[in-house]
Amino acid sequence: MSVPILLVTGFLGAGKTTFINGLLQADHGLRIAAIVNDFGSINIDARLLESATDAVIGLKNGCICCSLQGDLLRTLKQVMAGDAKPELIVIEASGVADPRGIVDALMDPVLWRAARLDSVTCLVDAEDVTANPERMDDPLWQAQVAAADVVQISKTTGLAPDAVAALTGRLAALGKPRVFGADGSRQELTALMGFAAAASEGAGSMRVAAADRFAVLEWRSDGAVPMAGFQDLIQALSPALLRAKGFLAFREKPGRRFVFQLVGQRATLAPHEGAGSGCELVLIGERGKLHVPAVRAALEGLGG
């Protein structure tokens, strides 16, 4: 019997990693293989799931997490070739990707003998679309929602109930009757699965070419940066940023590292207990708004 695949999609910062981490840590008893397809070579999301730097790491319930290495089909074959065959495969699509490309790859008839696409879940950031209503007119956002069998609303805390209800209504009007999370809850894994027929029919016909739309800056430094200087730089850059994430070391906090996350105008900084030193940062913005050479120079100035 072929192993079912759950594809998780959603715009930048929608909460895909948090969602998948919840699946991996739940008491369902399934052996899950999670494949993280992040944007950029610094695979922050996979390492947050792993809390390690290895390409493949063991988790509870016999689960594993691995970063996407090159071709998706080759990575899937490596996962399936392990000693313990997974009972479910979860693939995280990049927040800048039209998931239809992954759906098409998963339609490979040879692959379906061993693993088959069962369901597509799209994370929708309620805070983001409430603060930025124009997000729902974004062709990439629309393509990600159109591909989904299930929509999971995230980040409803602090929002007015009527705002969340309006979002749920908009999603239903887009032909999405299975919308979960309006009350802040996370749906059980069984409710996300069982849509193989719909997935095999193509999960929507919309295709969006987004590769040239975004600019990405990947920056590493062996040293630490001044906290105030970094905060000032990010504040200046925030209008041009859609997403930023990484690991940071600050001169004021020797021997410690922090996880930095920014989605739109929301930024968080939290202690990180994992291995590693120095700084690793990924910044993503619209091409033409995020001027990569100038920003890189500013970051190098902080790290110098």
Side-chain angles (χ1 to χ4, degrees):
M1 183 175 181
S2 61
V3 177
I5 296 173
L6 169 62
L7 175 61
V8 178
T9 184
F11 201 74
L12 292 160
K16 297 183 295 297
T17 297
T18 300
F19 178 76
I20 292 174
N21 193 46
L23 294 180
L24 294 173
Q25 299 300 322
D27 292 325
H28 43 64
L30 295 175
R31 291 191 304 275
I32 300 177
I35 300 173
V36 178
N37 179 25
D38 201 16
F39 188 75
S41 63
I42 303 175
N43 205 321
I44 302 298
D45 287 348
R47 290 169 59 182
L48 288 176
L49 285 169
E50 302 168 3
S51 298
T53 58
D54 297 326
V56 179
I57 191 75
L59 301 170
K60 66 177 290 188
N61 296 332
C63 301
I64 63 169
C65 177
C66 65
S67 58
L68 178 58
Q69 301 293 319
D71 180 72
L72 174 61
L73 297 183
R74 184 169 66 250
T75 302
L76 282 168
K77 291 177 182 177
Q78 291 172 347
V79 167
M80 297 295 292
D83 293 335
K85 185 177 179 180
E87 296 165 295
L88 172 67
I89 299 171
V90 180
I91 300 175
E92 177 183 350
S94 167
V96 301
D98 180 347
R100 177 64 206 197
I102 296 179
V103 170
D104 286 348
L106 295 177
M107 292 300 108
D108 183 282
V110 176
L111 173 66
W112 270 59
R113 298 172 188 168
R116 55 179 173 77
L117 179 61
D118 185 89
S119 181
V120 180
T121 293
C122 180
L123 272 288
V124 169
D125 183 342
E127 287 184 1
D128 178 46
V129 298
T130 300
N132 305 287
E134 67 278 6
R135 179 73 68 218
M136 298 184 75
D137 297 322
D138 187 308
L140 177 58
W141 186 95
Q142 292 178 347
Q144 292 168 340
V145 172
D149 302 298
V150 173
V151 174
Q152 173 75 41
I153 299 177
S154 63
K155 305 180 186 178
T156 59
T157 303
L159 294 180
D162 58 344
V164 179
L167 171 58
T168 303
R170 290 283 303 275
L171 291 167
L174 293 174
K176 299 298 163 184
R178 304 180 191 93
V179 179
F180 303 133
D183 59 354
S185 64
R186 181 175 297 165
Q187 202 65 20
E188 293 294 327
L189 180 59
T190 52
L192 306 176
M193 306 301 293
F195 305 104
S200 66
E201 290 171 1
S205 59
M206 186 181 298
R207 296 297 299 272
V208 176
D212 295 331
R213 171 179 166 182
F214 300 97
V216 60
L217 187 156
E218 301 175 3
W219 179 73
R220 297 177 175 87
S221 173
D222 293 333
V225 297
M227 182 176 289
F230 178 79
Q231 290 174 333
D232 289 345
L233 177 60
I234 290 298
Q235 185 174 2
L237 290 176
S238 61
L241 292 174
L242 290 169
R243 186 77 165 95
K245 51 190 173 180
F247 300 103
L248 296 170
F250 295 110
R251 294 172 186 169
E252 298 86 348
K253 305 286 185 179
R256 300 180 64 189
R257 286 226 296 177
F258 296 82
V259 178
F260 172 68
Q261 300 269 11
L262 180 145
V263 181
Q265 302 298 305
R266 307 186 305 275
T268 61
L269 196 65
H272 178 59
E273 304 302 329
S277 61
C279 301
E280 300 171 87
L281 191 64
V282 177
L283 305 178
I284 304 172
E286 298 275 0
R287 194 175 298 276
K289 294 181 180 180
L290 182 65
H291 301 287
V292 171
V295 176
R296 187 180 300 279
L299 287 169
E300 294 292 345
L302 288 179

